[in-house]
Amino acid sequence: MKEWLIAVRPWSFPASAMPVVATLGYLFARHDDANWLNGIWALLNIIVFHAAGNTWSDYFDYRRRVDANDTYGARTLTSGMFAPKEILRLSVGLLAAAIVAGVGLWLRTGAPLLCIGLGGLACSVLYPFLKYRAFGDFVIFTAYALLPTVGTVYAATLQLDWSVLCLAVPVGLITVAILHCNNTRDMRTDRRARIRTVAMNIGARASVALYCAEIILPFFWISGCVAVGMLPAWNLIAWAAFFPALKNARKAVCFIKDGSAAIADLDEATAKLQLMFSLSLSASFIVSGIMS
């Protein structure tokens, strides 16, 4: 069981779960008639989709020799813990479970959720192909920010509330930062595998600057939305995660001088930042809903 848990990389689940958790907090503050069963259903389903996507990506990374004995990250295949066909079967099984659950949620809601679900499915299946061509950041922002926020609100209210996208930007940027710091760390081995990433295209210094922007900008975005009245003032509680973000930024800067080893665990630290930022944001919505 421990090995299977390693294979799906549960430490990465905040990347997909937290946009939905933040959206559930948003619903608590703004929609008294929300269907919480559908909301929790959407949360669990995106986690299963994420697990399927992790193993699907690992399989193709191994086949494409993006992952090797000298690369960082999951070593479920390069260490011989699993055979490629085992990871592929696990991925297909998880994907099938997510599709069945998604169909069930669609039948409880309506056609817009079907479109959102098909978009998420396409992102999961096409991710390896697009990632190797420097579109990975865009796919992650779409799959783990835009679609989950809009989809969760629709599943719970049967309404397309586009204002929830003001949450998709800050939460999504930190999620993209998880991938981007991975790609920054792995530029040498990715070049050897003959794939392209945004980090490779812009170079080391610009990659570090982009990572820092992705984890710092969300705090100012939230403040701006509060200032113009799009979000409640209680959302400023999310600034509680600012100092961990600064710590991650300082670690990222060390990459320029010390290389990949300096940011070997920055992806995990960024996932923890996502967890803290989004939970603070969700808690602030709950406080706002109670106080209003």
Side-chain angles (χ1 to χ4, degrees):
M1 181 59 69
K2 180 180 178 181
E3 290 177 345
W4 288 112
L5 286 174
I6 292 172
V8 299
R9 301 204 299 276
W11 65 263
S12 69
F13 291 165
S16 58
M18 288 302 104
V20 179
V21 170
T23 304
L24 293 176
Y26 172 89
L27 288 169
F28 182 85
R30 297 201 174 187
H31 293 270
D32 295 332
D33 58 344
N35 185 319
W36 296 107
L37 174 60
N38 285 358
I40 299 300
W41 192 325
L43 172 62
L44 296 176
N45 206 37
I46 195 170
I47 291 174
V48 178
F49 257 119
H50 191 175
N54 280 346
T55 49
W56 183 259
S57 180
D58 285 348
Y59 173 77
F60 284 97
D61 282 352
Y62 182 76
R63 291 287 302 272
R64 185 68 183 264
R65 299 186 185 279
V66 175
D67 287 345
N69 291 328
D70 62 341
T71 57
Y72 295 94
R75 299 183 180 275
T76 50
L77 288 170
T78 57
S79 68
M81 181 184 296
F82 290 96
K85 62 181 181 182
E86 291 177 310
I87 290 294
L88 181 60
R89 283 200 297 262
L90 174 61
S91 180
V92 172
L94 289 169
L95 194 60
I99 290 172
V100 169
V103 169
L105 190 56
W106 161 48
L107 294 176
R108 289 173 56 87
T109 55
L113 194 69
L114 175 62
C115 297
I116 293 169
L118 289 175
L121 177 62
C123 287
S124 294
V125 173
L126 296 176
Y127 176 67
F129 174 83
L130 295 171
K131 180 180 72 170
Y132 301 153
R133 290 159 178 81
F135 288 105
D137 301 58
F138 171 77
V139 174
I140 291 299
F141 188 78
T142 301
Y144 294 148
L146 301 180
L147 296 179
T149 52
V150 175
T152 301
V153 169
Y154 180 79
T157 67
L158 302 185
Q159 300 173 22
L160 288 172
D161 181 359
W162 299 109
S163 64
V164 75
L165 291 178
C166 66
L167 291 182
V169 173
V171 178
L173 283 175
I174 298 178
T175 297
V176 172
I178 299 173
L179 172 67
H180 182 66
C181 69
N182 264 340
N183 290 341
T184 301
R185 179 194 66 196
D186 296 339
M187 282 194 287
R188 180 183 62 82
T189 53
D190 285 346
R191 187 174 294 108
R192 181 183 65 193
R194 297 182 179 179
I195 68 171
R196 301 298 302 176
T197 63
V198 169
M200 292 170 63
N201 287 343
I202 65 177
R205 290 185 178 275
S207 290
V208 169
L210 179 58
Y211 172 82
C212 293
E214 288 170 341
I215 63 171
I216 299 299
L217 179 60
F219 298 94
F220 293 95
W221 177 277
I222 292 294
S223 299
C225 289
V226 169
V228 300
M230 294 178 63
L231 292 174
W234 287 105
N235 284 163
L236 295 177
I237 291 174
W239 275 85
F242 185 68
F243 288 107
L246 286 181
K247 181 179 179 181
N248 283 5
R250 286 196 294 267
K251 179 179 284 191
V253 171
C254 293
F255 170 75
I256 297 174
K257 178 181 179 181
D258 301 326
S260 298
I263 59 171
D265 60 347
L266 187 57
D267 53 354
E268 187 172 350
T270 309
K272 291 178 180 178
L273 171 64
Q274 173 71 291
L275 186 65
M276 185 176 182
F277 177 82
S278 298
L279 288 180
S280 299
L281 197 59
S282 302
S284 69
F285 276 122
I286 293 173
V287 173
S288 176
I290 293 173
M291 299 297 290
S292 62

